[in-house]
Amino acid sequence: MVESEPHSILVIGPTTSDKNVDLSTAMYDTVEILHQLGYKTSVIVEDPTSLLSSGKYFDRIVVARVTGEHVLQYVHEYHPDAILPTVGDRNALGIVSSLNGKIGSVKILGSNYMASLATFKRELFIQKLTESQLPVINFVSSDDEKEIYSFIRSIGFPIIARRRYSNRHSSGWTNINNLFELDNFMALEDIEDSRIEIERSIRGFSEYSFTVVRDKFDNSALIGTIEDIEPIGIHHLDSNLISPAISLNDSKLQKMRTASLKLAQAFDIVGVCTVHFAYNHKTNEYFITEFIPRLSEETKFLEYATSYPIATAVVELSLGYHLDKLQLDGGRGFNGASEPFVDHITSRFPQWSAKGQKYLGPSKTSDSSIVVNGFSIEEVFNKGALNDKLNHNVERREQLSKLDDDQLFEKIIHPTNWMLDVLIEALRRKFEMPVLSEITGINMPYLTVLKNLLDISNLIDGDEVSTDNIERLVEMGVKGVGQSELLLDSDDVVTKTVVKSKRSITVSNRNYNNQNFFVTAGIKSDLKLSDKNKIIVRSPIITSKTDIMVRQFVLMQLVQSIAQNGLEAIVIGREPWTAPLSSREKVIEIDDPYMEMKSLDLIPEESIFKVIDFSKHLNEDDQVDNVFQINAKQLKNVEMPGEISLRAMVVTDGNNYLVPSVIYRQESDGHSFEISSYNNFLPVADRSAISKLIEQELEDNNEVNVFNFEFVRSNDHWVVTKSFEGMTDDIIRHELASSVHVIDTLVKLILGNKIEDNKTLEEIFNNQDNRYLLTVDDKRYNLLDFESTKEQLAKLLK
Amino acid sequence: MAKEIIDGQTMTRALTRITYEIIERNKGIDDLVLVGIKTRGVYVAHRIESRLKQLENISIPVAELDITPYRDDVTHEEKNPADVVPQPLGVDINNKHVILTDDVLYTGRTIRAAMDALMTVGRPKKISLAVLVDRGHRELPIRADFVGKNIPTSQKEKIKVSMKEIDGEDKIEIE
Amino acid sequence: MKRYLILEDGTVFPGVGFGSSIITTGQLVISNNRTGIEQSVTDPDAEGQILAFAIPSIGSSGINRDFYESINSQCKGVVIGSSSPSTIDGSISFGDWIASLGIPGIKNVDVRELSKHIAEHGEMKASIMDTHDEHAIDQIKALVLPPDLVKRVSTRQSYPNPNMGIKIVVVDLGLKYSILRQLSYRDCNSVIVNYNATPEEIENLHPDGIIFSNGPGSPSDIPQTIKTIKALQKKYPILGIGLGNLLIALANDCKIIKLAQPHHESSLAVKEVASGKIDFVNHNHSYTIDQKYIGSSDFIVTNICVADGSIEGIRHEYLPIMCVLFEPEAAPGPNDGYYVFDEFLDLIDSIKFQDDGGVDQW
């Protein structure tokens, strides 16, 4: 069944670029299954802390800039059997395309040289698709008038054109719809020092993306479809996305499905491939605009939307497994030959950290996103883009109402990230829907949804909610305890707030028991709980990238630890969280954007052992003793610069404490140096001094808790400069090494275990690591062994 | 300039269909032996065998036949048919239904040579012929019992069959 | 206007009515088709059925008359969750379309809960009504679904679908037009006959091959068709689709059983046993052939459903008969299954070109 050839695999890891998609869960799933299947894996990565918990599965972690050069060096030194680029974003494919002919018999898994190259080289992409008779937008780049006009005659109008100058710069694209505009464009400049580039215009076409998987035996399956609400012209990830693509009828769906499978076949991609389409519903023309033969933001979204374990499937397929004979873990089989049927809508709404309006275009501007679930488009709009708590839509409405019609119109012609609010305002002023649809390229069903929502909000504003229209309101996803009460009082309950599983009832969806749920409207809840005691983990919406990584890491560790310690973990979040595959069956995850779980009373109070909350501020009505706030609260902040400082993480059960991890930091010669797991190098005297300070700080604390302290060395003694109650960002660095299990220790303490009395200082500071992370200037990393670390410290202290 | 006229999927479906026909005409496959003519005829035989195995759960013996010593149209020294030493097939064909397999059927001379070879090794009950492509232009009274595709060609043209096992992909081209 | 979907076992699903306001009863089928509402509602298999669609926001993709699978719909009722009041191409909305067909509908139903219930308790009768009192439930329990579904949908008159190629007679048990489209595409000269056509009538048309189509209801409702199959199967190549497949199995001493979970999905994986190739095809059947009897029968299994291992296609060991339980003509669904028609035509060709072959080969 499996080619037994590769035994050792080099994974090309992520760079530290901010533009990277967070694929940490996918990386974890990938490496965990490789480990369970018996492969030896190593990774080349720039920041080892970005590996989060998957670090423990690697046989070798090479910390270096992720470039072709370094990959080649690794290949020549260690001779891996295969290279896996699928978790390394665009950079990894770029590296693959540069390795042709240089790596001998080393296999490339998932995406081959040709496919990787074609994602960068437009000419190759066009050539290959044309050969396979797939519709692609042809373009011409020429300074020969005959060639240019001949090309225009062959493709017809509308087209876009730009000039490319000899210094490699180019003008912006101009839309040309007819001969008159063409003549104007050509007349602007002489053709001598510039080339003219022309391609068919797909402005205003609807945008779709199809993700397929394929095995070595040419068996393929369509995993999911995504529809952009905004048309081509606005970056895919700045658009509001809907899955499945509900506006496609059978004929259109099958056309694009067939084309996607054909593309995967043409490039012989074994693994996953996402294909982007531009589709014109009026003329039924369509073009393939791009393809992505690796894991991406789309596959991450679809893995949650469809409950299909894409990351795990991809690595197995690339190793030669049959599509229907995949493995979930070392022992359990999984039928990957299924095109998941989803009976609800999963939607991704991009988020911007700045509050104001931002003009949108072909380049991505959003910073993060939020995913919501619902059974109707109205419901996902309400929970997502029009959710006042996220996007301050009430404020936006006020601002937009002050614009006059012309100013409002300008915002329609030049799309901004407030597009949906702008359209609602336009509909409020009775602008016509077909006109709006024509100008914005947003299809009618969405405008109708906005109109419905406008009517509803008018109803609510005017206090006209009654039992007659309550059904309509609930159908629209308007929920909140107020309306729900009215519903509950009614005899004829049409729908009420319930919790539904993300798994639809189909023949092939019974492979494994995904425990993802979401709060929505219906008549009955799907939630089935075991009789184990529960720990509920509550999580707010987080948009900063570091915070996301921290929460991701902590959640992963928390749920694994909770499950291992015999309890049932329930994660309730304002946005969904995808657990790693190995936990997905054990952890119940509920997407609850309006935080309604409490009022639904589905989890019996007696079975809740503890609530762990990630929010910065708790609700007043939370019983403080049952809630453990994990987020850091700053208790002390003393500004004291010093060359040498220590950061220690302390875990206490109220009486005794442990210091499992200490980070050393030194500023000298304009650079900063940090060494993690410093415990084993901490001089006894310092250890003693630090512990006395810690004991002082812990005096007033008599319950289970985590603390983070910063100590600065000043005049031969240590001073506490910062103290936090709770987890800070350092948690990742503290737990990077596998021997320190801070979170597991914390969970055990929460469960009632105690730290032994009378521990010696050596035991309190015990740390079993044999690899130490050296961070220079907060951005360059190195993993050192004991001897090298000693040398480095000696150098620093001179 | 080679032009692909049959793609991989059509080719594999044709092999599946030949398998069904073999089962149908034979009313059971207990006494079958597949003999593939080297080189690609052997892969055709193996593919049919694996399909038979999947459908009926019975393993049919597959033998390879190298007929170069028996060919009568090759320009090397004249060989007296009586001097040719029969090569062992490795499979007992006595009283069996032998299905000879090859990739392309053209003049028929290869098949005649194959039948000669078989007759020197044993006495089969029946010999049938299965080919992936029949391109016409027979020079001997030989016909295929099972044909994947009939492709009319001119004698100036060449049919090229590629098989995954040896050529990396499945397809049939004409040039 | 509040309406209720009431199941045979007394479970009530509230919703809001749309379309026709008549009261209706039928066999409730949960359809997991991702697309193709036009095809599903006009599929003659839907005769006597109330179709519950699980896809969200149904109707946004529009309604296109070209995708009908029969001239009029025989569907008894539709049940949906959310719908879209407007369409991507400006065509008629789903609600208006259902109303124009005179079909009663109920929306805002918790279709997920309905699917769960049916998965647990099996397919059953249901009604769309205006009240949900005891009386209504008793009425449903008492109702017997008509046993002559095939008779209602089968063409009364024979009619041709003329072309220049191979001659096919299609025995209409409730065929979908896309079967005829696939035949036309392959230039087949077809004649479509009533389910009750006698062997003599069919032989007089001099077919090269005969297709027994898909259809509603149970094979035990049309014993005379089984007799016809027995009379013709030794003389002509035969293709059985869906109900046709079940009839052919029964005509040859096989038994049929109910599927643990019925197959009503537009894209479900089927594996071709011989080659291991996996195709995604449209399924619309609740029965399959009992594996226990295949070994002793004269059939070999050619296709199985990957998810639950059930038989999806069989072929006779020595007669030119091939059958599939899935819908090779798709409509809706992926076109991976079209090859079945090519295979049938190849089968017919191979019989025709047997010079010393002919009847005594078998």
Side-chain angles (χ1 to χ4, degrees), chain C residues 246 249-250 252-257 288-291 293-294:
Chain C
L246 296 174
L250 289 176
N252 286 281
D253 299 324
C254 284
K255 301 227 187 318
I256 61 177
I257 52 170
T288 183
I289 299 161
D290 195 338
Q291 306 241 14
Y293 299 87
I294 281 288

Side-chain angles (χ1 to χ4, degrees), chain C residues 6-23:
Chain C
I6 306 179
L7 303 186
E8 190 179 340
D9 64 1
T11 324
V12 175
F13 287 88
V16 174
F18 72 101
S20 162
S21 54
I22 62 173
I23 294 180

Side-chain angles (χ1 to χ4, degrees), chain A residues 664-682:
Chain A
Y664 174 91
R665 185 184 175 92
Q666 177 169 337
E667 316 257 358
S668 56
D669 301 325
H671 294 289
S672 70
F673 300 88
E674 281 193 9
I675 293 178
S676 70
S677 301
Y678 183 65
N679 306 40
N680 298 334
F681 303 97
L682 186 62

Side-chain angles (χ1 to χ4, degrees), chain A residues 193-213:
Chain A
D193 352 83
S194 57
R195 298 172 75 80
I196 294 187
E197 288 188 355
I198 305 211
E199 43 180 75
R200 177 80 167 76
S201 170
I202 45 170
R203 201 158 158 271
F205 277 43
S206 298
E207 189 163 7
Y208 297 93
S209 103
F210 278 55
T211 298
V212 300
V213 294

